[in-house]
Amino acid sequence: MIDMKNDFDFIKEKFDSDNITAPESLSENAVMEKLNNAEEKPVIKVKSNNNRSFIKGFVACAACFAVVAVSLSAVHFSKQPKVISPSPASNEGIVAYASYDELIETVKKAEKENKTYYGGFLSKSKAADGEVAMESAADSANTVGATESAPESFASTNKQVEAVDEADIVKTDGKYIYYVNDSERNRILIYSAKDGKTELVSKIVPDDYETYFSEIFISGDKLIAVGTRTVYEKEGKSKREGDVIYYDGVERGAYAFVYTYDISNREKPELVDTYEQSGSYSSSRMIDSCVYLISNYGRWYYYGLKNSEFIPCATGEDGKTDKLPIEDICGIDGTQATSYSVIGAVDTKSGKAAKKTKALLGVNNQIYCNEKNLYLTGTYYKNDTEYTRIVKYSVNGTNIELKATGKAKGSVNDQFSMDEKDGNLRIALTDYRWGDEKDRNYLYVLNKNLEIIGQTEGFARNEHIEAVRFIGDTAYVITFERTDPLFIIDLKNPKEPKITGEVKIDGFSSQLLPVDENTMLGIGFCTSEEEFGIVRDGVKLALFDISDKNEPKVLDEYELRNSDSEAQYNHKAITINPDSGYWAIPIESYYSYEDEDYADEYENGALEIRIKDGKLEVKNHKIDADEYATRCTYIGSYLYVLTGESKNVYSFEIQ
């Protein structure tokens, strides 16, 4: 039995000393030799689990662990003023480092104070060599470019800012559907699609089984994949059972990546450019041909790293991956942080890697991005009060420049809690309280220097923010505790935000979608009060009349109990067809053991949502399979439903 306490005490003593050396077996050369001498690099097929609730539970646990890890290791603030040796940067609240030694010493001191034993780790290794394993559905190549004629109408990802694309697990260009299957994230499936019929054309499979595709972009004849490549130290031998490999290894770190594929021939995609940076994939945006990649990079305390491995790395224009210049790394003043946000940019049109990659020690939570600026946020606690640190970067092609920092009380729900207008950032936050204290909600307006110039009083006490939507000079905020109040906040005078009206409804909306200037659609949860409190037990749609900002009304409601949808948690799972006038969301139904007729009543598929004369018209398109739906997309008059457990694509003709 390992004595963890003694082990960690021993490691702590080692890290407190001045002589920190890793065992030779864990040296860079030794690890690289082991990796390069591997006998084979097979494609691993992940066994699918048909228990949807298990998958959701696993994802939820992983998400909770990530939140806790970031909260504890990345944003803990010391109660005592920290002596900052680096010279302050030009932006208040940011410190620059004169040398790598100063940066390393800052991280080590934070490690010692926080006593954190987890995070992330980067072991320098080679980038993917670009080989792609293909499984073609045809006997001969059939080159079809995206420039050929396509249906007049096809889906785009539901995004926050029209000019800023967001990656997702499904994309279409009107001829093909590209899908990162939920149960096979180490491959991308490409389907031809016409008149409701689909055929698997090819698969993109990386040449190593450590690569995990998170999401994709499509830009003309290029497919851009983003995700994480995990680096392992090999221990023992791998074991194969059929086409599944069980790997005996220890995770040693991760690279977030942008891999660009030429798909001018959809049956033979070709990897043409790679970019990697330290850390695990967090988020991304695409403006014109430039992809902005955000990753979270920390380190494992107990791996006995060399000093150089405290420094984040990125791929340069020469194609080599090396540590960032010290002038491109900065930190938050006063933080005891041990992990970075790394922000890289890749011009997918020119094929060049980032001209500049930045790293920020101490912030990695939600992001908001428009055509000119990228905002990062991170939550921290000081004197038992919760705050959000906000950092603003300007983005212009592959140039990324730090502009300002600021802070506000509370924490951000999601990216839609932020919006920029006329150079001002509007941000809605919940200040969570404990004990007899009640939660409070705020909406702040910050100027271009991220100085607070206006704010609301703490509204909706003992409730928390579930959804926000900014439209022009108005903010629409959903809070929830037992009912679902929709607040309307007037922002015409940014120095004096004013709540003008509110309306309450059972359940709550987690997504808000403008229908027209007078109507708002809410997608969220049914709720009911059980023995131990309020529980969520289904999908709920709400239609709001917002024509009178002083007296909003509920026009209509729709509930589908014993159901779930990815759209409740992820705005990208909402498909909007403006030409045909409908919204679509994937739906998964489950059953109660008290319901004897569940088999006939509850099935999976997609909800088609229309609005007519102030009423919701909902049609349930059911797929003839026991598979959970993850996404919808459309081409022409056909709605396609993709599932997470198989390669099947289902379609429905929408009249």
Coordinates of all heavy atoms in Angstrom, one line a residue, residues 16 38 97 194 240 291 324 347 354 360 382 386 414-415 437 441 459 489 497-498 510 529 574 650:
D16 N 11.0 21.9 -2.6 CA 11.4 23.0 -1.8 C 12.9 23.3 -1.9 O 13.4 24.4 -1.6 CB 11.0 22.9 -0.4 CG 9.5 23.1 -0.2 OD1 8.9 23.7 -1.1 OD2 8.9 22.7 0.8
A38 N 8.4 2.8 -30.4 CA 7.2 2.0 -30.3 C 7.0 1.2 -31.6 O 7.3 1.7 -32.7 CB 6.0 2.9 -30.1
Y97 N 7.4 39.4 -16.9 CA 8.5 38.7 -16.3 C 9.8 39.0 -17.1 O 9.8 38.9 -18.3 CB 8.3 37.2 -16.3 CG 7.0 36.9 -15.5 CD1 5.8 36.6 -16.2 CD2 7.0 36.8 -14.1 CE1 4.7 36.3 -15.5 CE2 5.9 36.5 -13.4 CZ 4.7 36.3 -14.1 OH 3.5 36.0 -13.4
K194 N -27.7 14.1 -50.2 CA -28.5 14.6 -51.2 C -29.9 14.0 -51.1 O -30.1 12.8 -51.0 CB -28.0 14.2 -52.6 CG -28.7 14.8 -53.8 CD -28.1 14.5 -55.1 CE -28.8 15.2 -56.3 NZ -28.2 14.8 -57.6
R240 N -3.8 -5.9 -26.9 CA -4.8 -5.8 -27.9 C -5.9 -6.9 -27.7 O -5.6 -8.0 -27.4 CB -4.2 -6.0 -29.3 CG -5.2 -5.9 -30.5 CD -4.6 -6.3 -31.8 NE -3.5 -5.4 -32.1 CZ -3.7 -4.3 -32.9 NH1 -4.9 -3.9 -33.3 NH2 -2.7 -3.5 -33.2
V291 N -7.9 31.1 -37.2 CA -8.4 30.3 -36.1 C -7.7 30.8 -34.8 O -6.4 30.8 -34.8 CB -8.3 28.8 -36.3 CG1 -8.6 28.1 -35.0 CG2 -9.1 28.3 -37.4
L324 N 7.6 29.6 -25.5 CA 7.3 31.0 -25.9 C 8.4 32.0 -25.4 O 8.9 31.8 -24.3 CB 5.9 31.4 -25.3 CG 4.7 30.6 -25.6 CD1 3.5 31.2 -25.0 CD2 4.6 30.5 -27.1
D347 N -3.3 31.1 -39.3 CA -3.9 31.5 -40.6 C -4.0 30.3 -41.5 O -3.0 29.8 -42.0 CB -3.0 32.6 -41.3 CG -3.6 33.2 -42.5 OD1 -4.6 32.6 -43.0 OD2 -3.1 34.2 -43.0
A354 N 1.1 30.4 -36.0 CA 0.9 31.7 -35.4 C 2.1 32.6 -35.4 O 3.2 32.1 -35.2 CB 0.5 31.5 -33.9
L360 N -1.1 33.5 -20.5 CA -1.5 34.3 -19.3 C -1.6 33.4 -18.1 O -2.4 32.5 -18.1 CB -2.8 35.1 -19.6 CG -3.4 35.9 -18.5 CD1 -2.5 37.1 -18.2 CD2 -4.8 36.4 -18.9
K382 N -11.6 36.4 -2.8 CA -10.8 37.3 -2.0 C -11.7 37.8 -0.8 O -12.7 38.3 -1.0 CB -10.3 38.5 -2.8 CG -9.2 39.3 -2.1 CD -8.6 40.3 -3.0 CE -7.5 41.1 -2.3 NZ -6.8 42.1 -3.2
E386 N -16.6 36.4 -4.1 CA -16.3 35.8 -5.4 C -16.1 37.0 -6.4 O -17.0 37.9 -6.5 CB -17.4 34.9 -5.8 CG -17.1 34.1 -7.1 CD -18.3 33.2 -7.4 OE1 -19.4 33.5 -7.1 OE2 -18.0 32.1 -7.9
D414 N -22.1 31.8 -18.8 CA -21.5 31.3 -20.0 C -21.1 32.4 -20.9 O -21.2 33.6 -20.5 CB -22.5 30.3 -20.7 CG -23.8 31.0 -21.1 OD1 -23.9 32.3 -21.1 OD2 -24.8 30.3 -21.3
Q415 N -20.7 32.2 -22.2 CA -20.2 33.2 -23.0 C -21.3 34.3 -23.3 O -21.0 35.4 -23.6 CB -19.7 32.6 -24.3 CG -20.8 32.0 -25.2 CD -20.2 31.2 -26.4 OE1 -19.4 30.3 -26.2 NE2 -20.5 31.7 -27.6
E437 N -26.7 34.1 3.8 CA -26.6 35.1 2.8 C -27.4 34.6 1.5 O -27.4 33.4 1.3 CB -25.1 35.3 2.4 CG -24.3 36.0 3.5 CD -24.6 37.4 3.6 OE1 -25.0 38.0 2.7 OE2 -24.3 38.0 4.7
N441 N -27.4 39.0 -8.1 CA -27.0 39.1 -9.5 C -26.7 40.5 -9.9 O -27.4 41.4 -9.4 CB -28.1 38.5 -10.4 CG -28.4 37.1 -10.0 OD1 -27.7 36.1 -10.3 ND2 -29.5 36.9 -9.3
F459 N -29.9 42.1 -8.0 CA -31.3 41.8 -8.2 C -31.5 40.3 -8.1 O -30.6 39.5 -8.2 CB -31.8 42.3 -9.6 CG -31.1 41.7 -10.8 CD1 -31.6 40.7 -11.5 CD2 -29.9 42.3 -11.3 CE1 -31.0 40.1 -12.6 CE2 -29.2 41.8 -12.4 CZ -29.8 40.7 -13.0
I489 N -33.4 44.6 -19.0 CA -32.6 45.6 -18.5 C -32.2 46.6 -19.6 O -31.7 46.2 -20.7 CB -31.3 45.1 -17.9 CG1 -31.6 44.0 -16.8 CG2 -30.4 46.2 -17.3 CD1 -30.5 43.3 -16.2
P497 N -27.6 51.3 -16.0 CA -28.4 50.2 -16.4 C -29.7 50.2 -15.5 O -29.6 50.4 -14.3 CB -27.6 49.0 -16.1 CG -26.2 49.5 -16.1 CD -26.3 50.9 -15.5
K498 N -30.8 49.9 -16.2 CA -32.1 50.0 -15.4 C -33.0 48.8 -15.8 O -33.2 48.5 -16.9 CB -32.8 51.3 -15.8 CG -34.1 51.5 -15.1 CD -34.7 52.8 -15.5 CE -36.1 53.1 -14.8 NZ -36.7 54.3 -15.3
S510 N -32.6 28.0 -20.4 CA -31.1 28.1 -20.4 C -30.5 28.7 -21.7 O -29.3 29.0 -21.7 CB -30.5 26.7 -20.1 OG -31.0 25.7 -21.0
E529 N -41.2 20.0 -8.0 CA -40.8 19.9 -6.6 C -40.9 18.5 -6.1 O -42.0 18.0 -6.0 CB -41.5 21.0 -5.8 CG -40.9 21.1 -4.4 CD -41.4 22.4 -3.7 OE1 -42.2 23.1 -4.3 OE2 -41.0 22.6 -2.6
I574 N -28.5 23.9 -31.3 CA -29.8 24.5 -31.8 C -29.6 24.8 -33.3 O -28.7 25.6 -33.6 CB -30.1 25.7 -31.0 CG1 -30.3 25.4 -29.5 CG2 -31.4 26.3 -31.5 CD1 -30.4 26.7 -28.6
Y650 N -30.0 10.0 -39.9 CA -31.4 9.9 -40.2 C -31.9 11.2 -40.8 O -31.3 12.3 -40.5 CB -32.2 9.6 -38.9 CG -31.7 8.3 -38.2 CD1 -30.7 8.3 -37.3 CD2 -32.3 7.1 -38.5 CE1 -30.3 7.2 -36.7 CE2 -31.9 5.9 -37.9 CZ -30.9 6.0 -37.0 OH -30.5 4.8 -36.4

